[in-house]
Amino acid sequence: AVLKSSYAQFLMMLTAADHDQMERMRDHLTQMCEGWNVEQVTSIVREALYDVVNPLVFAEAAELIAGHHARGHDVVIVSASGEEMVAPIAEMLGADHSAASKMKVEDGKYAGEVEFYCYGENKVTAMEALAAEHGYDLEQSFAYSDSITDVPMLAAVGHPTAVNPDRALRKEAAERGWPVVSFSNPTPLRDRLPTPSRNSVLATAGLGVVAAGAGVATYLALHRKKH
């Protein structure tokens, strides 16, 4: 029940949240999870995700990501939501890596504090860490987002694109000369994947990008540096 409630609120925030709303959501979820067993929560999310929450995938995004993979690019989902939810969704989508917010853990339980909040400038920090670890060249990389809060992330790569942007990002993109594209054909993720067993769902190599209503989750297509 908590998973469904939290995911519903998360989707709402993706489509219409400002900075203050995101801060309140972060604090609410962090306090709610204080004292919970990390392994138990992770297990519940992974076991229930496919049945309880059914992310939407834009057909246009699926084609875009397939194109990046065909060109040898790694695809990374970057989200301010918790890694417990982001990681399995990224796996379901066939992403190569993911970056998300992390809560502080003490003695195997959530301590009620955020260790790393993958939001705003911190998304760039996460991207730079991935670039250093995997040899990515951000100047040759692509980034896609619908939110004004992701301007730092978009500005950090050589090929930024605004997708179904909010009003503020649309204005920013126009001023910076960034491409703006529209995705309009969302379909349930499970409709794009073979019906899996519970044990195999997270290994399924689906192609897509998480979508929330009219919103679309941030993702990157990263080039490896040529040596």
Side-chain angles (χ1 to χ4, degrees):
V2 169
L3 177 61
K4 287 193 287 186
S5 174
S6 299
Y7 190 72
Q9 293 181 64
F10 171 59
L11 298 188
M12 179 195 71
M13 289 300 182
L14 277 181
T15 58
D18 59 22
H19 176 76
D20 290 341
Q21 289 173 318
M22 287 292 292
E23 292 291 316
R24 288 195 294 271
M25 172 61 75
R26 180 196 64 177
D27 293 342
H28 167 69
L29 294 179
T30 301
Q31 293 168 10
M32 180 178 63
C33 293
E34 184 176 0
W36 288 6
N37 182 280
V38 175
E39 290 187 5
Q40 183 181 28
V41 170
T42 301
S43 176
I44 290 171
V45 171
R46 285 182 174 272
E47 290 178 2
L49 186 62
Y50 186 81
D51 296 323
V52 175
V53 294
N54 186 19
L56 297 178
V57 178
F58 281 113
E60 299 94 334
E63 295 170 2
L64 184 63
I65 289 181
H68 278 299
H69 273 146
R71 292 157 66 185
H73 302 165
D74 281 2
V75 172
V76 181
I77 304 297
V78 183
S79 175
S81 191
E83 62 179 350
E84 296 80 5
M85 183 172 289
V86 175
I89 288 179
E91 291 177 30
M92 290 170 69
L93 295 171
D96 300 281
H97 304 287
S98 63
S101 297
K102 298 180 181 180
M103 289 194 285
K104 184 177 180 180
V105 175
E106 294 179 349
D107 298 323
K109 297 181 179 180
Y110 293 117
E113 299 177 23
V114 176
E115 186 174 278
F116 178 72
Y117 188 30
C118 193
Y119 177 76
E121 292 286 352
N122 282 346
K123 284 190 177 181
V124 179
T125 299
M127 290 160 53
E128 290 173 343
L130 284 166
E133 180 179 358
H134 299 287
Y136 298 139
D137 184 352
L138 294 181
E139 281 296 317
Q140 296 298 316
S141 296
F142 300 76
Y144 304 83
S145 178
D146 65 348
S147 173
I148 187 63
T149 63
D150 284 332
V151 165
M153 184 205 74
L154 292 169
V157 301
H159 304 281
T161 298
V163 182
N164 295 358
D166 58 30
R167 183 177 300 177
L169 180 57
R170 185 176 295 276
K171 179 180 178 182
E172 186 78 17
E175 293 176 351
R176 292 175 179 253
W178 291 344
V180 176
V181 299
S182 296
F183 293 168
S184 59
N185 186 24
T187 59
L189 175 59
R190 67 182 59 160
D191 289 351
R192 300 192 65 86
L193 300 176
T195 301
S197 68
R198 179 153 292 181
N199 291 330
S200 68
V201 61
L202 298 178
T204 302
L207 294 175
V209 61
V210 179
V216 65
T218 304
Y219 81 89
L220 309 171
L222 297 160
H223 279 274
R224 295 188 183 277
K225 295 178 181 177
K226 295 180 179 179
H227 297 286

